[in-house]
Amino acid sequence: MYSAFEKQSQEKKELIMNIAIEEFTLNGYDTTSTDTITSRAGISKGILFHYFKSKKNLYLYLVNFCIDLLTEKTVTAIHALKSADFFERVKEIYLLKHEITGKFTKETQLIADAIMSPPVAVQKEMQQIIADYYDTYAKEFKFEHVYLKELIQIDKLRDDITVEQVIEMTMFISEQLGNKYQTLYKNNQYDFFKEPDPVVKELNDYLKIIKYGIYKEC
């Protein structure tokens, strides 16, 4: 569908995408003007629509691009982690995600807005994008790359605690914490990009509670 755009030079593609992402994150989908995008990018409106056919397609292309970009950066960084402690690894993964979003603020903003407050024009498509993402990065992926059971000190576990329970508990708390701050962000009560510390501290506090609650007393 986007073959005409993909044939362009990398420099030209990056220019158009960076400007479009900036406009969508700054103004929102409905009030973003393709005239402004084309004027800033130095191309005609006819060329933009030749590449994407519509404003809707441009937006969806950018959302998919940003998801793929941040996912690739995150997975690569996760594979480079060397922590031998289960809970330290979970915390390190959270921190590296924050580091990556800090480097790609506009891309992260676009994804966050598209997922939490999808424009009416693309709601159906966003539901499918989200479903496809979670199909790919569901529990199996997290068990293989994030919550590594081999890092749990099994010999030190309390007799009434299993490895599976530790993983499920940690995953549940991490996800609920993420949901909490997403809701606050959506309601304009919290800005993760400006105030990451509260999330980091709360996650660290919960991980300490789990860690020192599952192991036998020395």
Side-chain angles (χ1 to χ4, degrees):
M1 176 186 271
Y2 306 110
S3 58
F5 181 68
E6 297 295 350
K7 291 177 182 177
Q8 305 308 306
S9 68
Q10 188 63 27
E11 182 180 6
K12 184 174 184 178
K13 288 191 293 184
E14 288 181 358
L15 173 64
I16 294 171
M17 287 192 295
N18 287 337
I19 290 172
I21 289 171
E22 188 173 292
E23 289 295 324
F24 278 123
T25 55
L26 182 64
N27 303 305
Y29 177 85
D30 292 329
T31 55
T32 289
S33 167
T34 52
D35 288 331
T36 301
I37 293 173
T38 54
S39 175
R40 290 185 59 195
I43 61 174
S44 70
K45 192 169 182 178
I47 287 294
L48 184 70
F49 280 82
H50 173 63
Y51 293 154
F52 299 101
K53 310 303 180 188
S54 66
K55 174 180 170 180
K56 176 180 177 178
N57 285 344
L58 170 61
Y59 183 82
L60 292 172
Y61 178 91
L62 295 173
V63 169
N64 279 301
F65 169 81
C66 290
I67 289 175
D68 290 344
L69 172 67
L70 295 182
T71 299
E72 188 272 330
K73 297 292 183 183
T74 301
V75 171
T76 299
I78 287 175
H79 288 163
L81 291 178
K82 302 298 182 182
S83 178
D85 180 86
F86 177 81
F87 298 101
E88 283 301 312
R89 180 180 176 84
V90 173
K91 185 168 66 175
E92 285 179 4
I93 288 175
Y94 180 84
L95 291 172
L96 73 82
K97 285 181 179 179
H98 171 61
E99 182 180 346
I100 291 169
T101 58
K103 292 179 180 178
F104 299 95
T105 306
K106 293 193 293 292
E107 291 83 354
T108 303
Q109 182 78 59
L110 182 72
I111 296 171
D113 292 342
I115 291 176
M116 289 186 274
S117 302
V120 174
V122 298
Q123 281 185 348
K124 182 179 178 180
E125 289 81 3
M126 281 307 306
Q127 289 175 358
Q128 188 59 54
I129 289 173
I130 295 169
D132 290 343
Y133 179 85
Y134 283 112
D135 281 346
T136 304
Y137 300 99
K139 278 190 174 183
E140 291 74 15
F141 176 87
K142 292 177 181 177
F143 289 154
E144 292 178 8
H145 302 282
V146 180
Y147 303 99
L148 305 183
K149 64 180 182 180
E150 60 266 29
L151 298 184
I152 297 174
Q153 301 176 58
I154 299 176
D155 58 320
K156 294 184 179 181
L157 280 180
R158 285 169 29 194
D159 295 336
D160 58 337
I161 299 290
T162 67
V163 170
E164 288 72 25
Q165 287 175 322
V166 175
I167 294 174
E168 289 290 344
M169 190 188 320
T170 307
M171 186 184 301
F172 176 78
I173 288 176
S174 298
E175 291 178 353
Q176 290 304 309
L177 189 61
N179 292 338
K180 169 186 173 180
Y181 282 95
Q182 283 182 8
T183 301
L184 291 174
Y185 173 81
K186 184 177 181 179
N187 294 330
N188 297 316
Q189 296 175 298
Y190 171 75
D191 189 341
F192 173 81
F193 301 103
K194 296 179 180 178
E195 305 175 77
D197 290 346
V199 196
V200 176
K201 182 182 183 305
E202 194 167 351
L203 175 64
N204 193 47
D205 289 344
Y206 283 131
L207 291 178
K208 282 182 180 179
I209 292 171
I210 300 173
K211 181 175 182 178
Y212 296 110
I214 64 171
Y215 290 129
K216 299 174 184 176
E217 293 184 11
C218 298

